[in-house]
Amino acid sequence: MRTPAKGTAAALITRTEFLSTAARVRRTLGAILLLGAAPLLVVLTFAGLAPGIIASVVGGAVTGSLALAVTGPPTTRRAAVRLGLVDEQILIGTDNAGAADSADIVRPLSELTGLEQPRTPAPETHIDAARQDLRIQGNRYLRLTFADGAIHLVAVPESDPVAAEIIRRLREALPSASAEESVPAGEPATEASAVTVDSGAPGKRAKQQPASTTDTTRAITGQPADDRWPTAPSASPAADIRLWEAARTTHRRVLSEYGAYELDPTLFLRYPGVTDITRDPVMDFHTALAEAQALATDAYPGDAGYAGRYRAAVDTLRRTWIRCERDGKATGTGYLHDNDRSDLDTAAKLYNHAQATDNADEKASYLRKAQRIIVDLEARGRVHLPRPVVAALEAQVRLALEPGTAAS
């Protein structure tokens, strides 16, 4: 039985610093220019060049080394791997590591199923958010496993008290006996880097997990979102904004994915159950969608409690959509009566024929026949037909009959 971690209302964020690729390049070039200035002065003087030219070249090398030293992020704020706990959410990401690497991954704490801490520090640095690998050479790291099978490797300064508290709360949130500690308690930790309760870095857009790999095992309870998820303001306004932005991104993604089934006749003909409002998973999804839509705002609302309720509603929306799509795709047309399923299969074949032909008249004929079958099925109450699907078919018929579309 999973036990929620206690006291996670406050934002806990730890940073494990490292030199980014850009910083290493700047440091190397700066050192080359600075160390090469003196030998360059000797060589140019020996070559008999004019003093003005020598001064310009050597001065340029020194100036270039100084410019490289002060460009990029301030030296007091190096690139870092971040691991945090905010409002029962796990934040994984990077800070000041470049635009391509700075997106935060936000996962509910309830989805964590495994926690390991390998004995051996990482042999080399891997900062690859796409591969879920954020290890730093010489630092120990955590192996976090989630319910959907995703595994994240995250560098962590274990000797820091904030990092230790995060690890403790992660273990408390695991199912009984799931946490695996592979290092003796008395083993000295690697050198810790700077750790803060709030990084203060600008919020980055959260990376979204694909719908096909998100946790689908948690049943929908039917309770209001406010009763299941903490909505109290966190200790970090920046973290609140990042979490709200992550929820907004998830909300838009779900709308886009569901919209495809209402706009694409091919998807509707293959998986009519995804949009059939008479089915329980679809009804649950539409209920969650209405709640999330009611709480959505174009910009951060400025009220951390309200933002927390929105995040909870979006998480419910995400889960109900996963269940809705999974159920609809697994069922296909199998939930229909034999005759109705045969009619829908015929409509699908007609639509496919229409897409395959270049003859405008044939295309229009196939589309109209498919449309009549679908409309008839809805009129008899056999399927729920999204209006955009009908509109899409009509638009394709008009396009096929426009002058100049016939095969030459």
Side-chain angles (χ1 to χ4, degrees), residues 106-334:
V106 181
R107 299 293 300 264
L109 181 60
S110 59
E111 293 183 356
L112 184 68
T113 60
L115 170 64
E116 300 177 45
Q117 191 169 28
R119 179 188 301 273
T120 307
E124 54 185 341
T125 297
H126 294 276
I127 305 299
D128 190 342
R131 301 182 65 179
Q132 301 166 348
D133 190 349
L134 299 176
R135 290 178 290 173
I136 299 175
Q137 183 179 20
N139 284 266
R140 293 178 58 200
Y141 58 94
L142 298 180
R143 178 186 174 95
L144 304 175
T145 305
F146 293 90
D148 59 4
I151 297 175
H152 293 264
L153 305 179
V154 188
V156 60
E158 187 195 25
S159 62
D160 181 82
V162 175
E165 177 63 13
I166 290 175
I167 294 173
R168 182 186 70 80
R169 295 185 183 185
L170 291 176
R171 290 198 182 107
E172 285 184 356
L174 288 170
S176 193
S178 288
E180 299 180 20
E181 173 57 58
S182 56
V183 180
E187 180 176 330
T190 57
E191 181 181 356
S193 61
V195 179
T196 61
V197 173
D198 172 31
S199 69
K204 299 293 181 181
R205 191 169 172 175
K207 177 180 177 183
Q208 299 302 322
Q209 296 294 328
S212 59
T213 60
T214 313
D215 176 21
T216 59
T217 59
R218 179 173 174 177
I220 304 303
T221 64
Q223 300 173 355
D226 296 16
D227 296 337
R228 297 197 311 276
W229 292 88
T231 58
S234 75
S236 164
D240 278 328
I241 294 174
R242 283 196 299 272
L243 290 168
W244 179 87
E245 290 174 342
R248 195 81 179 102
T249 301
T250 299
H251 190 172
R252 290 180 179 133
R253 175 178 57 80
V254 170
L255 289 176
S256 175
E257 291 175 359
Y258 178 72
Y261 289 90
E262 288 200 326
L263 295 170
D264 187 345
T266 302
L267 287 176
F268 168 76
L269 292 168
R270 290 183 64 186
Y271 310 116
V274 174
T275 55
D276 193 336
I277 196 64
T278 63
R279 296 170 57 78
D280 288 342
V282 185
M283 293 176 65
D284 290 341
F285 167 71
H286 277 273
T287 299
L289 178 60
E291 182 179 356
Q293 293 285 78
L295 293 170
T297 53
D298 292 333
Y300 180 71
D303 181 338
Y306 186 94
R309 291 192 296 275
Y310 173 67
R311 294 198 307 269
V314 170
D315 189 76
T316 301
L317 174 66
R318 177 182 63 85
R319 293 173 183 277
T320 54
W321 167 237
I322 291 166
R323 181 186 172 201
C324 173
E325 184 182 37
R326 180 188 61 181
D327 178 81
K329 295 182 75 171
T331 303
T333 59

Side-chain angles (χ1 to χ4, degrees), residues 26-40 57-58 60-68:
R26 286 196 302 272
R27 186 176 65 174
T28 301
L29 289 178
I32 291 174
L33 290 174
L34 184 61
L35 295 176
L40 187 60
V57 173
V58 175
V62 175
T63 302
S65 69
L66 294 176
L68 289 170

